[in-house]
Amino acid sequence: MILDTDSSRTLTRPDTAAGPRAVPRLAHNGPVNAFAPTGPTDPRDPSNPSAPSGAADPLTDPLAAFTALRAPEGTALLTELRSYDPAQELATATRLRRSHPAALVSAALGQARLRQRAVVKFGAEDAYRMFFTPNGVEQATRTSVATYRAGRFAAAGVRSVADLCCGIGGDAIALARGGISVLAVDRDPLTAEVARANAAALGLGALIEVRCADVTEIDTAAYDAVFVDPARRGGRGRIFDPEAYSPPLSWATGAALKAPRAALKIAPGVPHEAVPAQAEAEWISDGGDVKEAVLWFGEGFTAGSYRATLLPAGATLSAPAVLPAPPVGPVGRYLHEPDGAVIRAHLVADIVERSGGRLIDETIAYVTSDEPYDSPYTSAYEITDRLPFNMKKLKALLRERKVGVLTVKKRGSAVEPEELRRKMKLQGPNAATVFLTRVAGAPTMLIGHPVRPEWP
């Protein structure tokens, strides 16, 4: 198995820009404290003595606040706030409170902030019609990934899905747009109401039934498939133990095995030993960032197999089982950096075989070859220099090559790109890439430049 860490940054000179078990009471998928969390000294808080005078009594009930946002006055406020500048929020709030209740203004500002955050996942057209909760924005699947997953369900012949732990409805929306009818379930009343409002706002109410209930009490027998997206955040942040998910992975697996087909969304860092033997495991990246892992069950999916899928292209690399450890050897002319989904799926050995290459270190996910290799699953670089780790030698080489733009990548190195930048005085018209890594266990610096890909 390859143990790997990865980070990269472009640096410039200063002037360059297993089965079911008893399940505890579940946490809902989208806990919410408020649409716009405020503290006792926040001037936006109507309970603050220093708040502008004339503030109305706050809408302390989140459902009441949400209902007010959907009323004509709240809708008008949200329309007005579509393009507001968060840096001017205090001035905006003061102005709006002259003609609107303070609590409604606070709720609208909170929702406006969430919509701005949601654009990256849902696109502006949908985000500014939808409603969100703080955790809903954080945990929702981005549209590109949800659409891809809905497509796999549809290709398997699925026409109805029980979406358990639906959150604010991101996956339900993608499924419905694929012509699949959805039962969307969440046990938090506010979250369920937000999901219902989103289905209506996007014209999908006829295909999405939203139910506020505990997912462990839902009978899914009438549905072609089950989709479970357990909550992976708690009061202390992200949850890494799959059995600490809500619901736990073991319960979700049991629910999946009862259905004709199923998909479980889990964190991409899930240990491979936690993947049930009955599942096809898929890791998905979007734009080069690994977003999630999905466990697929049932007819149309291959138990025990591993897949890496790259969006937006939709390229998929798969293997029927975990591949044997690839060979290790000296650095050649080319270095290939596999996509993160390929690494997470433990499919680097497949890249080694396809490229006719080898690893530079048994614990580092860099593949090297003597001949060029072009693939959508890797980024290729031509290596011009190899140095033992030495900052002074690197600085001298960059000065000699007149490098003013430097991209720093690292795997297996403790050095941070910022630290390297402080020590390099970049100047010149040329660009280069430096890899801080290990070669056969030794700290090494590899310098080169990207190879232009030939694939679309």
Side-chain angles (χ1 to χ4, degrees):
M1 180 178 73
I2 294 172
L3 302 176
D4 188 75
T5 58
D6 177 28
S7 67
S8 64
R9 176 169 296 194
T10 298
L11 305 177
T12 67
R13 61 180 182 268
D15 60 342
T16 304
R21 65 179 179 83
V23 181
R25 183 170 179 81
L26 302 180
H28 56 74
N29 198 43
V32 175
N33 293 323
F35 278 104
T38 56
T41 61
D42 190 334
R44 294 171 297 175
D45 185 355
S47 64
N48 178 11
S50 63
S53 61
D57 290 337
L59 294 171
T60 55
D61 176 31
L63 275 174
F66 180 62
T67 300
L69 282 179
R70 298 187 68 198
E73 186 177 9
T75 299
L77 268 176
L78 288 174
T79 300
E80 183 175 350
L81 289 169
R82 171 167 178 152
S83 58
Y84 96 105
D85 181 359
Q88 301 298 319
E89 183 165 313
L90 181 57
T92 301
T94 300
R95 175 178 58 81
L96 291 176
R97 283 172 176 170
R98 297 190 185 109
S99 53
H100 301 282
L104 181 61
V105 171
S106 292
L109 285 167
Q111 190 61 217
R113 291 194 299 271
L114 294 175
R115 284 180 167 183
Q116 289 183 350
R117 287 172 54 194
V119 168
V120 68
K121 286 188 174 183
F122 292 90
E125 184 177 352
D126 281 353
Y128 285 106
R129 290 190 290 166
M130 295 172 65
F131 297 90
F132 301 94
T133 66
N135 279 13
V137 170
E138 186 71 29
Q139 298 187 27
T141 305
R142 64 173 53 208
T143 295
S144 55
V145 178
T147 300
Y148 165 76
R149 183 164 44 237
R152 286 206 75 186
F153 267 131
V158 170
R159 294 296 174 263
S160 62
V161 171
D163 179 0
L164 308 181
C165 306
C166 68
I168 54 93
D171 281 282
I173 289 166
L175 290 164
R177 283 177 167 167
I180 297 172
S181 62
V182 184
L183 170 65
V185 183
D186 199 288
R187 71 179 296 267
D188 176 60
L190 174 60
T191 304
E193 194 60 33
V194 170
R196 188 176 292 111
N198 287 338
L202 300 180
L204 299 169
L207 282 170
I208 301 175
E209 174 195 348
V210 179
R211 190 180 302 176
C212 183
D214 191 317
V215 297
T216 63
E217 299 173 0
I218 296 297
D219 182 0
T220 63
Y223 296 88
D224 295 339
V226 166
F227 173 64
V228 188
D229 180 6
R232 296 180 300 282
R233 284 185 176 272
R236 298 183 179 179
R238 292 183 180 179
I239 296 172
F240 298 98
D241 178 7
E243 283 307 296
Y245 292 172
S246 180
L249 180 59
S250 58
W251 180 90
T253 299
L257 293 174
K258 294 176 184 177
R261 299 173 184 85
L264 311 182
K265 175 182 170 181
I266 57 176
V270 65
H272 274 228
E273 55 267 25
V275 175
Q278 306 94 326
E280 173 188 297
E282 179 177 29
W283 281 260
I284 303 172
S285 69
D286 189 12
D289 295 328
V290 184
K291 296 301 179 183
E292 63 182 60
V294 186
L295 304 181
W296 297 92
F297 298 81
E299 186 178 350
F301 309 110
T302 307
S305 67
Y306 293 82
R307 295 166 62 100
T309 298
L310 282 56
L311 300 177
T316 295
L317 188 67
S318 63
V322 175
L323 300 171
V328 179
V331 177
R333 181 176 178 181
Y334 298 96
L335 191 74
H336 310 282
E337 181 182 31
D339 183 270
V342 174
I343 297 172
R344 294 285 192 179
H346 292 186
L347 294 175
V348 175
D350 190 290
I351 299 298
V352 170
E353 182 177 352
R354 289 168 182 257
S355 66
R358 55 211 173 261
L359 295 179
I360 64 171
D361 185 280
E362 64 179 355
T363 65
I364 301 294
Y366 282 140
V367 179
T368 187
S369 66
D370 302 313
E371 300 296 330
Y373 169 66
D374 187 50
S375 166
Y377 306 107
T378 65
S379 298
Y381 299 83
E382 185 173 7
I383 300 302
T384 57
D385 300 271
R386 172 181 170 179
L387 302 172
F389 183 82
N390 186 299
M391 289 288 196
K392 290 184 178 180
K393 290 184 178 180
L394 177 62
K395 182 178 178 180
L397 186 144
L398 296 177
R399 185 188 303 116
E400 177 187 339
R401 302 283 169 83
K402 298 181 179 180
V403 172
V405 179
L406 182 68
T407 298
V408 178
K409 292 178 171 286
K410 70 165 195 168
R411 296 194 195 277
S413 172
V415 177
E416 293 297 332
E418 292 83 357
E419 178 184 351
L420 186 143
R421 180 177 185 175
R422 286 194 298 268
K423 297 183 178 181
M424 300 295 112
K425 294 183 179 180
L426 301 170
Q427 189 173 12
N430 299 322
T433 301
V434 59
F435 296 86
L436 307 178
T437 187
R438 293 194 305 270
V439 175
T444 303
M445 299 183 296
L446 303 175
I447 298 91
H449 56 82
V451 176
R452 188 180 184 88
E454 298 179 0
W455 46 273

